């Protein structure tokens, strides 16, 4: 919030870029079977995006669910 007040709002292109990079990282993690090593950090990133708004948090949550949702489901079964 302080950043926005000081410097203005960030444009949609910025959020699309961040989402794209996050998705690339998730894809790499899954493709290389690194879920156990990075699931917590990816979850933290997704959680930290939830209060941003403009659909960004929802998009990050959807990406996390698409790529790593199965890890959370496996942990729930244990």
């Amino acid at each position: 919030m302080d950043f926005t007040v000081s410097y203005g709002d960030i444009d949609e292109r910025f959020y699309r870029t961040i989402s794209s990079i996050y998705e690339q990282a998730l894809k790499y993690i899954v493709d290389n079977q690194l879920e156990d090593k990075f699931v917590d950090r990816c979850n933290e990133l997704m959680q930290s995006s939830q209060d941003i708004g403009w659909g960004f948090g929802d998009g990050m949550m959807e990406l996390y669910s698409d790529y790593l949702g199965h890890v959370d489901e496996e942990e729930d079964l244990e």
Side-chain angles (χ1 to χ4, degrees), residues 28-29 34-43 64 68:
Y28 181 87
I29 289 165
L34 299 169
E35 294 94 335
D36 290 342
K37 188 169 185 173
F38 291 102
V39 68
D40 291 338
R41 181 63 180 135
C42 291
N43 188 306
Y64 177 86
L68 296 175

Side-chain angles (χ1 to χ4, degrees), residues 1-11 14-15 51-54:
M1 180 72 164
D2 291 336
F3 181 89
T4 302
V5 170
S6 297
Y7 302 104
D9 206 359
I10 300 172
D11 64 6
F14 172 82
Y15 293 109
D51 294 328
I52 293 176
W54 300 287

Side-chain angles (χ1 to χ4, degrees), residues 13-23 56 60 63:
R13 190 174 117 203
F14 172 82
Y15 293 109
R16 281 195 317 250
T17 299
I18 296 299
S19 294
S20 175
I21 292 167
Y22 184 65
E23 182 172 20
F56 179 67
M60 294 287 280
L63 288 170

